Amino acid sequence: MKVHVGTNEEISKLIADEFIKQINTKPDSVLGLATGTSPLLVYSNLIKANKEGKVSFKNVTTFNLDEYIGLDGTHEQSYRYFMNVKLFDHIDIDKSKTHVLKGVDDYEDYAKKYDDLILKSGGIDLLILGIGSDGHIGFNEPGTPFDSLTHIADLAQSTIIDNSRLFNNVDEVPKKAATMGLKSIMNAKKIVLIATGKNKANAIKDLFLGEKNEKIPCSILRDHKDCTIYVDDDAYSLVKNK
Ligand code: F6R
């Protein structure tokens, strides 16, 4: 794993530049996308670059990592809604080529087909990940098998509490999510992970220094051949001061 340390502004710009380079090299790239707070500035940079004519998403296909079970795509906290509002509505992407797991209706069947759909699209060229304070990637909580494909997962209590900041109260946070599995994530050709803030310091320490096992889902990334970790000083503090 490579590592870049910088401010959120600096690392978000570097990651956006990776996406722009990827798409300009291969206009029909397949991208893997995350929601949450971590990638927000990356997406703003991509919107800006698109508006300035530096990159076009016309032929790009996207697959999102996860979606809450129980929320449909019009719900303000659903990840489909997030992606539309934070990125897709502002760029020249063909929305029919944007895939987000389903949270309602045939969500189980759709999740089962997701890895095949990714494979048929040619596989993910570049995937952006955030990381949970408990070391989850996607919604693969501690204990998820390393060989897992896309599935329906139970959210850890710590994740429900972390994510309750975006809901009216903790009881409104869904308890389950559809998520790409750890194997699905590892199948991406290139991975970038972004983490900022003290709340992520333990997870980043585990990522670099913890034992590699299923109790630490993110530790699987050490086996990926092209994975770069982008962190700010706070998130990296427990690794740097070791
Ligand atoms: C979201 C996802 C999650 C988040 C993680 C961090 O699609 O896959 O793993 O990346 O929970 O969330 P934030 O960025 O909100 O701290």
Side-chain angles (χ1 to χ4, degrees), residues 2-238:
K2 284 172 278 182
V3 60
H4 279 279
V5 187
T7 63
N8 191 29
E9 284 71 23
E10 287 163 353
I11 58 181
S12 296
K13 174 82 172 59
L14 287 175
I15 295 176
D17 287 346
E18 280 296 328
F19 273 90
I20 292 165
K21 190 170 82 186
Q22 170 66 42
I23 299 165
N24 285 339
T25 308
K26 184 183 173 207
D28 61 348
S29 285
V30 179
L31 307 178
L33 301 176
T35 58
T37 306
S38 307
L40 281 175
L41 208 46
V42 175
Y43 296 158
S44 311
N45 277 297
L46 291 177
I47 293 168
K48 185 164 174 278
N50 183 235
K51 290 202 188 311
E52 288 170 353
K54 293 180 181 151
V55 65
S56 169
F57 293 81
K58 275 201 180 101
N59 298 308
V60 161
T61 299
T62 66
F63 287 91
N64 262 81
L65 281 160
D66 38 26
E67 177 62 285
Y68 285 124
I69 298 302
L71 305 190
D72 84 18
T74 59
H75 190 290
E76 282 189 19
Q77 296 307 333
S78 76
Y79 287 168
R80 161 53 77 181
Y81 186 90
F82 175 104
M83 288 311 301
N84 287 346
V85 170
K86 301 297 182 192
L87 183 63
F88 300 151
D89 285 347
H90 312 285
I91 56 176
D92 63 345
I93 201 162
D94 173 355
K95 273 219 190 127
S96 70
K97 291 194 188 135
T98 67
H99 305 274
V100 181
L101 282 152
K102 291 185 189 177
V104 293
D105 302 330
D106 60 341
Y107 64 84
E108 258 172 324
D109 283 347
Y110 190 64
K112 274 186 202 140
K113 290 179 194 139
Y114 209 57
D115 291 280
D116 269 352
L117 208 57
I118 295 172
L119 206 65
K120 280 192 194 118
S121 305
I124 294 174
D125 294 298
L126 176 58
L127 166 67
I128 180 168
L129 296 175
I131 188 169
S133 61
D134 64 355
H136 71 231
I137 47 176
F139 274 131
N140 296 285
E141 300 285 16
T144 307
F146 277 172
D147 63 356
S148 52
L149 292 172
T150 303
H151 62 284
I152 310 302
D154 291 318
L155 301 187
Q157 189 57 23
S158 59
T159 301
I160 292 172
I161 291 169
D162 282 348
N163 291 5
S164 66
R165 70 188 192 279
L166 303 168
F167 290 80
N168 291 323
N169 62 64
V170 73
D171 297 330
E172 280 184 15
V173 185
K175 309 282 179 287
K176 286 179 182 288
T179 180
M180 277 187 206
L182 292 169
K183 190 169 177 199
S184 326
I185 288 173
M186 289 296 280
N187 282 340
K189 290 163 204 157
K190 186 179 176 81
I191 296 177
V192 294
L193 182 148
I194 177 163
T196 58
K198 278 224 165 1
N199 188 36
K200 302 294 170 69
N202 265 313
I204 292 299
K205 180 178 155 209
D206 282 348
L207 170 61
F208 283 97
L209 305 172
E211 267 180 47
K212 197 185 80 194
N213 64 41
E214 292 174 355
K215 286 189 204 146
I216 305 178
C218 58
S219 64
I220 196 174
L221 294 174
R222 281 187 227 148
D223 285 345
H224 197 277
K225 60 180 188 334
D226 191 353
C227 176
T228 307
I229 311 299
Y230 294 81
V231 278
D232 71 356
D233 280 330
D234 283 341
Y236 202 50
S237 55
L238 299 178

